Amino acid sequence: MGDAKKQFRRTHLSRSCERKFLVRSKAMVHPWCRAWNNGLVICCLLVFVLLGGVRIARAGGGPENVLLVVNSESPVSLAVANFYQSLRQIPDSNVLYLAWDPKEQVTDVDRFREKILLPIIEHLARQGALEWIDCVAYSADFPWGIELQKDIERFAEEHPELLPPRRPGTPDKEKNTDEPASARWPRVLTPRGSLNGLTYLYAGVLARRPDYYLSLRVNQYMRRAIPEQKELPTLGFNSRLQFDEHGNLAKQGERYLLSMVLAVAADEDTRGNTLEEIFEYLRRSAAADASFPRGTIYFVQNGDIRSRTRDPAFPEVVEALHKLGVRAEIVRGIMPENKPDCQGVMMGTAQFDWARSGSTILPGAICDHLTSLGGVMTKSAGQTPLTEFLRYGAAAASGTVTEPFAIAEKFPLPTIHLHYARGCSAAEAFYQSVYGPYQLLIVGDPLCRPWANIPVVKLKDLPEGKTVRGVVTLRPEAHFPRPGLPPPIGGGQVDHFEWFVDGRLVGRSGPNEPFVIDTTKWDDGYHELRVVAVETGLIASRGGLVVELTSDNFGDQISVNLQTPQVRLGQPVRVHVESPGALAVVVRQNGRVLARSVGEKADFEIDSRKLGVGPVRLQAIGLGGPGRPGNTISRPMDVIIERE
C-alpha cells in the first residue's frame, strides 16, 4: 500500500493540492447537464455514423494524424498552411480548404457549425479518416470567437426549469413575460467559445448537447488527481479513445478531437502576429522536437488573483519536474526577469511587456498568463494578448476569448508542463490540463514535442530504384534515441508499426512482423509510403519514415513539364501534362482540382493566387481511358510562389 501511495504521488498532482486552487463556484452545473441528457437522447446521425464501430488503437500524434484546415479566401491562411505543410510534412490528403471571409473574426454558433465544423466532420467521414486523424489544426484567418447565444436561448426556452431561480426582488415570469429565460443565465458562463475549444468538443456541439457550455468539467481527457485515473497519469491522445465520467478509458463514452490554431494574423483590426513572426515560431517549434532542452520552466507568483488562482499547485509540479530531470523554478514578480533560459512560462497578470523582462523564450516553450482578454484578438480589447509570447518565440500560447472570471477550470493547470516534459505534444499537454476548454484559444504548433522519445525508423528490403510491382513485402525496424520513461508512461520499445499510402492508413504490423502490400491495387505512378513506429506505454511517441515509390503494374505513363517552377504571386504557373490514352488530365494541389482538360494532353495556366505564397506541391493525373484499369499519377511538382 505504501508503494502504491508513493507511485500515486510521483505521477499525480495531489487531490488536496488540486482542491486548493480550483475555484468552487456556481459554474459547476453538472445537475443541469444530467437533467438535460436524461431528456435529450437525440444526437446528430452523422456523429453516430462516425463514432460507431471504430476500434480503439494506441495513442500518439504525428503529421499523419493532423488535418490542416485552410481558408481558401485568405492569402495569409494559404501562406501559413503552405509553410506548415512543408515544415511538418503533412500529407497532401490531410489538407482541407474551406471558404471564409477573413474579416469575420467572430461568428455565431450556427454559422460555425454549418460552414466550418460540419464540413470538417463530413470530410473526415468521407475519407474514413477518423481512423487516423487526431488533431484539427486551423491555419490563419478563421473566426477565433464563436458566440453561443443561440444555443443558450434554445436551451433556456425549452428547459427554463433547469435555470437558476430569479434573484430576490425581480418580477416573476407572469409579471415580466418580456424577459427571456436566458436572462437567468449564470454570469460566470460567459456565452462565447473559441474556435479550437468547440472543435475539440465537436460531438456535443454538433448535437447541440448543452454539456459543452454548461459543464466546466466536460473534458474527460483531462488528467485529474483522483484515484480512478491512477493508472493513467499522462496519456497520449487518440481520437478513437472514449472516456467515462471519471476519465477512465471506456467502451462507450466521450470522444474528442485535439485542435489548435496555427496563427492569428496581424492587420489593422487584429493584434496578431506578422507573417515573419508566424514562420519563425513555427520553425523554432519544429526544430525543438526531441531536443530534450536544458532550459528552465518558470512559474511566476504575485498577489494578483490571476496568479493566486493557480500558484498553490506550483511547488508540487516543480518537484515532479525535477524528478524528470527538467529544470523548474518558482519566481516572484510579473514576469521572469533577466532569465536567458525560459523553456516554459506560467504567469498571472493582465499586462506585460516581454521585451522589458530581459528574458529569452527558448524554442519549444509553452507560455500563458491567466487573464480575461488574452485570447480576444481585437485591437480595442485591452490587456496583453497571447500573441505577445509567440512574437518572442514561444511554440504555443493560450488565452480566453471573453471574460472568464478567473475560474481555474477554464485555464491550463500547472500540470501542463509536466505532461509536456513527459513527452506529450503541445496539443496533448494543453487538453490534459484544462477541465473546461470551450473558451480557451490555443495558438501555435500542435505537434511540438521537445521531450518526446521519437523513434527512428528504417525500412529493409526496399526495392531497388523504388519502382514496385505486384506484391511487396517490407520489413521495418526502429530504435529509440533514449531509454524512455518507465512504464506505464513510457517504454522505449516499439509497440507496433502503422502503414500509410498517400496519407491513408492501410494497416498495422507488430514490431517484428513484415508487412505485405499488393501494389496491383494502386494506380500506376507516384505514391508516398509512410511507415510509423509507435512506442509502448501511455505516451506512445511516434516517429516515421517517408518513402517515395513508383508503381508500374499496367504500363500507364504520364509526363509533366513544369515551365515556371518559381513565380511571383499573381503570375500564372504554367505546366504541360501528357498521359497517353487518358480520357482527361487534371492538375491538383492537396486533393483539390485546380485545372482540368478533356483529352490525353494539355497546357495549363494556374492562378498562383489560388495557391498562396511559399512552397507548393502540384500533381498531374491522367484519368482512366480505354484499356486502362485506373488513373496515372505524376511525381509532385515543387513550385515556389514569391510575394508580389
Side-chain angles (χ1 to χ4, degrees):
M1 187 67 177
D3 290 341
K5 287 184 178 179
K6 289 179 182 177
Q7 175 67 17
F8 182 80
R9 291 283 295 181
R10 280 197 299 269
T11 56
H12 288 73
L13 183 67
S14 71
R15 295 186 73 186
S16 61
C17 190
E18 183 181 28
R19 283 194 296 268
K20 289 178 186 176
F21 70 88
L22 284 180
V23 176
R24 302 300 181 185
S25 72
K26 294 180 181 179
M28 309 311 297
V29 287
H30 290 294
W32 297 12
C33 298
R34 286 194 293 269
W36 172 263
N37 288 330
N38 288 339
L40 177 66
V41 194
I42 301 172
C43 187
C44 111
L45 178 62
L46 174 63
V47 173
F48 282 119
V49 170
L50 287 172
L51 299 184
V54 181
R55 81 178 188 89
I56 293 177
R58 285 188 172 267
E64 300 80 17
N65 310 110
V66 172
L67 179 69
L68 176 56
V69 182
V70 190
N71 184 355
S72 61
E73 300 300 306
S74 164
V76 173
S77 188
L78 291 167
V80 171
N82 290 340
F83 181 83
Y84 191 72
Q85 183 182 11
S86 176
L87 179 73
R88 285 298 192 178
Q89 292 189 296
I90 305 294
D92 293 355
S93 60
N94 286 20
V95 182
L96 174 64
Y97 294 88
L98 299 177
W100 186 265
D101 181 359
K103 296 297 183 182
E104 189 177 355
Q105 297 188 31
V106 177
T107 192
D108 67 73
V109 67
D110 285 340
R111 275 182 56 76
F112 166 69
R113 260 191 295 260
E114 178 187 355
K115 300 296 185 180
I116 297 177
L117 187 58
L118 192 57
I120 288 172
I121 301 302
E122 287 177 337
H123 171 80
L124 294 177
R126 285 192 301 270
Q127 303 293 323
L130 270 181
E131 175 68 10
W132 63 87
I133 293 296
D134 297 326
C135 179
V136 175
Y138 291 96
S139 188
D141 279 347
F142 283 100
W144 46 263
I146 315 296
E147 300 292 0
L148 306 178
Q149 197 64 33
K150 290 185 177 180
D151 274 2
I152 290 170
E153 289 171 357
R154 279 188 284 260
F155 166 76
E157 290 300 319
E158 293 174 9
H159 293 271
E161 74 280 2
L162 299 179
L163 295 172
R166 296 177 186 277
R167 295 186 301 275
T170 58
D172 59 27
K173 190 173 182 180
E174 289 73 22
K175 295 180 181 179
N176 190 11
T177 57
D178 293 334
E179 182 185 45
S182 60
R184 288 188 281 149
W185 193 253
R187 180 169 174 262
V188 295
L189 292 179
T190 41
R192 177 186 285 179
S194 70
L195 175 66
N196 57 273
L198 299 188
T199 301
Y200 179 76
L201 301 169
Y202 74 102
V205 177
L206 287 179
R208 293 179 170 86
R209 204 177 64 210
D211 56 348
Y212 82 85
Y213 54 82
L214 284 178
S215 172
L216 289 181
R217 293 204 173 188
V218 67
N219 178 18
Q220 302 307 329
Y221 176 54
M222 161 77 184
R223 299 295 89 200
R224 308 198 294 281
I226 57 177
E228 289 86 351
Q229 291 185 10
K230 183 175 66 172
E231 302 302 325
L232 302 171
T234 294
L235 181 64
F237 184 81
N238 183 306
S239 65
R240 280 78 67 206
L241 298 179
Q242 300 182 73
F243 299 91
D244 67 14
E245 62 181 351
H246 299 299
N248 291 318
L249 297 180
K251 291 184 178 180
Q252 295 292 330
E254 294 299 320
R255 300 194 190 207
Y256 310 102
L257 272 172
L258 296 178
S259 182
M260 284 177 57
V261 178
L262 296 182
V264 177
D267 60 25
E268 63 274 12
D269 301 316
T270 308
R271 50 185 190 165
N273 295 110
T274 66
L275 204 54
E276 289 76 13
E277 290 170 347
I278 294 165
F279 290 167
E280 180 61 16
Y281 70 68
L282 291 175
R283 186 183 294 110
R284 283 163 54 94
S285 68
D289 282 0
S291 61
F292 292 88
R294 301 300 300 167
T296 303
I297 298 171
Y298 289 99
F299 299 90
V300 186
Q301 285 184 332
N302 56 54
D304 195 312
I305 182 60
R306 298 167 179 85
S307 174
R308 299 198 313 269
T309 299
R310 298 187 292 191
D311 65 20
F314 289 173
E316 203 162 348
V317 172
V318 167
E319 180 184 357
L321 288 167
H322 286 166
K323 290 178 180 179
L324 291 174
V326 176
R327 297 174 182 171
E329 184 179 339
I330 300 171
V331 297
R332 295 287 302 179
I334 301 300
M335 301 177 285
E337 298 286 347
N338 301 311
K339 303 294 186 182
D341 62 341
C342 297
Q343 195 57 61
V345 178
M346 179 163 280
M347 308 189 325
T349 184
Q351 301 278 2
F352 70 94
D353 180 355
W354 187 264
R356 297 176 65 88
S357 72
S359 297
T360 300
I361 296 175
L362 299 182
I366 290 177
C367 304
D368 85 309
H369 66 307
L370 185 154
T371 194
S372 300
L373 306 177
V376 179
M377 293 292 108
T378 51
K379 283 192 173 177
S380 60
Q383 302 188 353
T384 305
L386 64 90
T387 47
E388 181 77 355
F389 287 119
L390 299 170
R391 177 168 295 110
Y392 289 94
S398 67
T400 48
V401 295
T402 189
E403 172 59 63
F405 294 105
I407 296 173
E409 286 88 345
K410 295 184 179 184
F411 294 91
L413 274 59
T415 46
I416 183 175
H417 295 285
L418 186 56
H419 297 307
Y420 202 36
R422 285 174 175 160
C424 285
S425 68
E428 291 170 327
F430 267 104
Y431 285 103
Q432 283 180 99
S433 64
V434 59
Y435 283 95
Y438 85 101
Q439 291 184 328
L440 191 68
L441 183 67
I442 310 174
V443 183
D445 184 358
L447 290 177
C448 187
R449 42 186 181 154
W451 286 276
N453 193 21
I454 300 176
V456 179
V457 179
K458 295 182 180 179
L459 198 57
K460 298 186 291 185
D461 303 325
L462 192 64
E464 185 176 353
K466 300 181 182 178
T467 297
V468 293
R469 299 179 181 87
V471 176
V472 177
T473 301
L474 300 173
R475 294 175 175 81
E477 58 183 26
H479 73 273
F480 291 82
R482 292 182 174 241
L485 295 173
I489 297 174
Q493 297 179 342
V494 176
D495 179 83
H496 67 277
F497 291 95
E498 295 181 353
W499 299 81
F500 295 81
V501 175
D502 299 329
R504 296 171 182 265
L505 180 67
V506 297
R508 298 178 175 88
S509 62
N512 300 305
E513 181 183 354
F515 191 74
V516 177
I517 294 178
D518 184 359
T519 68
T520 63
K521 297 179 180 179
W522 298 358
D523 290 329
D524 266 1
Y526 175 90
H527 296 278
E528 182 186 84
L529 173 69
R530 295 178 183 234
V531 54
V532 177
V534 182
E535 184 190 22
T536 57
L538 296 176
I539 302 296
S541 290
R542 303 165 62 91
L545 175 69
V546 181
V547 179
E548 296 181 336
L549 300 174
T550 300
S551 175
D552 184 15
N553 287 291
F554 309 108
D556 295 328
Q557 299 294 321
I558 188 169
S559 61
V560 295
N561 178 16
L562 178 62
Q563 299 163 3
T564 51
Q566 187 166 332
V567 300
R568 289 195 177 277
L569 189 67
Q571 295 177 340
V573 176
R574 295 186 176 90
V575 58
H576 175 79
V577 180
E578 191 165 341
S579 183
L583 293 176
V585 290
V586 303
V587 176
R588 69 182 184 187
Q589 177 203 20
N590 296 327
R592 61 170 180 162
V593 174
L594 300 170
R596 178 192 300 264
S597 179
V598 175
E600 62 184 30
K601 60 183 177 180
D603 290 295
F604 295 110
E605 288 193 356
I606 299 167
D607 186 351
S608 59
R609 289 170 295 191
K610 292 182 178 180
L611 307 175
V613 168
V616 174
R617 283 161 56 100
L618 306 179
Q619 272 188 306
I621 312 252
L623 301 178
R628 293 164 58 115
N631 302 325
T632 312
I633 307 171
S634 79
R635 295 187 63 81
M637 298 170 277
D638 293 318
V639 182
I640 300 296
I641 312 295
E642 298 179 332
R643 299 186 200 184
E644 292 178 291

